[in-house]
Amino acid sequence: MPKTVYIGMTADIIHPGLINIINEGAKHGDVIIGLLTDKAIACYKRLPYLTYEQRAEVVSHIKGVAKVVPQEEWSYVPNLRRLKPDYIIHGDDWQHNYLSSIRSEVYEAMKEWGGQVIEIPYTKGIDSSALVDNARTIGTTPSIRLSTLRRLIAAKPVVRIMETHSGLSGLIVEHAQVMKEDGLHQFDGMWSSSLTDSTDKGKPDIEAVDLTTRMQSLTDILECTTKPIIYDGDTGGIPEHFVFTVRTLERNGVSAVIIEDKKGLKKNSLLGTAVKQELATAEEFCAKIAAGKRAQVTSDFMIIARIEELIAGRSVDEALEKAYACVQAGADGIMIHSKEKSGMDIKEFCQRFKRAYPTVPLVLVPTTYNQFTEKELASWGANVVIYANHMLRAAYPAMVKCAETILQAERSLEVNDLCMPIKNILELIPGTK
């Protein structure tokens, strides 16, 4: 009986280093590729460009590969204990990088049945991170970007979305990352906010900035980033206008639109003064959602219903009743909004909604109840967390301070420490290095 060799990989980008490992494995026996699933990868690294099925199709046709099996966890150990291979082969770079703890676990597991760990020299001249950066420079396609949000929701405990209002803010969100003990933390996508887009243009957030005008800012972001975008569609306008919005956004590769159940001229939910806003009935709102669903071409695009009952002072029961109706009308997700700082009304809504619809995505915007972490919100049932206006709110005071300091000093020397070197900004922009 031939011996078996286990090799774990992502295989999003096939390069000579992967081929070298497979060739080495074939010298020792039948090569089993443990191909990491989206879920195994997404909490530790960026989501692969290719789906699991696409990657499996490619890898299964590489010479020397006998079998491809899913690796459902970041750790190799569960698959190793299940398959009990004679060998596992890995590049020796894991001795010193972020996989060093997994390396120790693998050695201990392989001892249980007398298996052997073979480490081969890391292929010189191959830098996976550089390959990913090059891919970002090339960009993405509307169809790939469009489908990514659904993949992220399926793969991650909570999807992290940050507001962007310009190409530069989009680049910051695209590249921002922090390495923590549980893996790489980065933003999974972007929120094209009606509030911040209109404010950036110096206009009130009353739905006065139409889709055609907003598409200018959206195009700036789309052209220099690759991550999925959720579009703030305000009320969506009349159903005929919303149909046009859906088709335009879908064609441009936007992953989702969120529309709210308000009627008449929009008044922003975050205004501190008492603002009366008439809400659409469930029948009116559901008719608009259904019209949008009929208009879309792909199954990847998402229409998410924003429920404003709690903002309007109504009960959780009333909010749930409308949310259930929206799901029945075809909504792909529900966003629940509240100004209550305790967040307890949101928590109750989430828990009760998930009991009724456990697989329908829930979107939260914890601007007022921001004392809760993403893990806590996920424990309530949240699938997506949107940081809805923080990029613009952070930029404004910095710009005001810079302007006032120059006026006070009558020169710019005093603002040197407030300003990033222009070289660092230019390095964010593809094609300027």
Side-chain angles (χ1 to χ4, degrees), residues 50 52 68:
L50 301 179
Y52 174 85
V68 177

Side-chain angles (χ1 to χ4, degrees), residues 6-10 34-37 39-44 69-83 88 90 94 98-110 113 182:
Y6 188 86
I7 303 174
M9 61 177 61
T10 299
L35 192 63
L36 275 72
T37 62
K39 189 172 184 179
I41 297 165
C43 290
Y44 297 89
V69 299
Q71 182 172 310
E72 303 280 0
E73 298 184 33
W74 183 246
S75 172
Y76 302 90
V77 172
N79 266 14
L80 293 179
R81 287 193 170 128
R82 180 172 61 85
L83 298 169
I88 178 173
H90 200 286
W94 71 341
Y98 60 92
L99 292 174
S100 59
S101 60
I102 289 182
R103 175 179 180 267
S104 300
E105 294 173 2
V106 166
Y107 268 90
E108 289 300 314
M110 292 294 284
W113 56 89
D182 59 348

Side-chain angles (χ1 to χ4, degrees), residues 9-268:
M9 61 177 61
T10 299
D12 193 28
I13 300 175
I14 302 297
H15 55 75
L18 297 182
I19 302 300
N20 288 344
I21 289 180
I22 292 171
N23 289 340
E24 185 64 28
K27 296 176 184 177
H28 297 273
D30 290 344
V31 173
I32 302 173
I33 300 296
L35 192 63
L36 275 72
T37 62
D38 284 0
K39 189 172 184 179
I41 297 165
C43 290
Y44 297 89
K45 299 173 68 175
R46 67 165 184 86
L47 191 71
Y49 290 106
L50 301 179
T51 65
Y52 174 85
E53 291 74 20
Q54 291 170 327
R55 291 181 284 121
E57 179 70 14
V58 171
V59 172
S60 65
H61 286 84
I62 295 176
K63 182 180 179 181
V65 174
K67 186 178 181 182
V68 177
V69 299
Q71 182 172 310
E72 303 280 0
E73 298 184 33
W74 183 246
S75 172
Y76 302 90
V77 172
N79 266 14
L80 293 179
R81 287 193 170 128
R82 180 172 61 85
L83 298 169
K84 293 183 170 53
D86 298 287
Y87 305 96
I88 178 173
I89 294 184
H90 200 286
D92 62 2
D93 56 312
W94 71 341
Q95 295 177 11
H96 308 293
N97 66 15
Y98 60 92
L99 292 174
S100 59
S101 60
I102 289 182
R103 175 179 180 267
S104 300
E105 294 173 2
V106 166
Y107 268 90
E108 289 300 314
M110 292 294 284
K111 287 179 184 177
E112 294 173 12
W113 56 89
Q116 183 180 347
V117 181
I118 299 175
E119 297 181 353
I120 64 173
Y122 185 72
T123 304
K124 303 299 182 184
I126 300 296
D127 186 339
S128 297
S129 297
L131 291 173
V132 170
D133 288 341
N134 287 338
R136 281 179 175 166
T137 300
I138 295 169
T140 187
T141 65
S143 60
I144 291 175
R145 191 199 295 257
L146 173 64
S147 63
T148 303
L149 181 62
R150 284 193 185 271
R151 290 177 59 202
L152 283 163
I153 291 172
K156 298 193 68 176
V158 63
V159 176
R160 185 184 297 116
I161 304 293
M162 174 60 90
E163 168 263 320
T164 58
H165 53 274
S166 64
L168 182 59
S169 63
L171 284 169
I172 293 171
V173 173
E174 178 91 0
H175 294 283
Q177 58 183 37
V178 176
M179 181 59 75
K180 301 177 72 173
E181 289 184 2
D182 59 348
L184 185 67
H185 286 232
Q186 56 189 332
F187 293 107
D188 300 302
M190 305 171 196
W191 168 241
S192 175
S193 162
S194 168
L195 168 63
T196 59
D197 189 58
S198 58
T199 302
D200 192 51
K201 291 179 171 65
K203 297 181 179 181
D205 183 29
I206 55 173
E207 218 161 353
V209 182
D210 62 19
L211 175 63
T212 303
T213 304
R214 284 192 60 194
M215 279 303 300
Q216 296 173 8
S217 300
L218 190 58
T219 299
D220 289 340
I221 298 168
L222 287 165
E223 286 180 344
C224 63
T225 63
T226 63
K227 293 183 177 181
I229 294 178
I230 302 175
Y231 182 86
D232 177 9
D234 286 327
T235 68
I238 62 176
E240 291 80 4
H241 291 171
F242 184 52
V243 164
F244 173 77
T245 298
V246 167
R247 290 173 178 165
T248 301
L249 295 176
E250 185 181 27
R251 184 171 61 249
N252 282 276
V254 174
S255 294
V257 61
I258 296 181
I259 58 169
E260 58 196 59
D261 57 346
K262 291 177 179 174
K263 294 175 65 174
L265 184 65
K266 176 186 174 182
K267 301 183 178 83
N268 193 280

Side-chain angles (χ1 to χ4, degrees), residues 321-340:
E321 183 179 356
K322 184 174 281 186
Y324 296 158
C326 291
V327 174
Q328 292 297 317
D332 300 291
I334 297 294
M335 172 180 157
I336 183 64
H337 210 26
S338 173
K339 291 192 293 184
E340 173 57 54

Side-chain angles (χ1 to χ4, degrees), residues 290-318:
K293 292 304 293 180
R294 289 192 297 270
Q296 70 183 71
V297 175
T298 72
S299 59
D300 291 320
F301 187 76
M302 300 178 70
I303 296 177
I304 299 171
R306 172 172 159 175
I307 307 300
E308 293 282 292
E309 257 66 12
L310 301 182
I311 290 285
R314 300 180 185 176
S315 68
V316 172
D317 287 339
E318 290 173 293

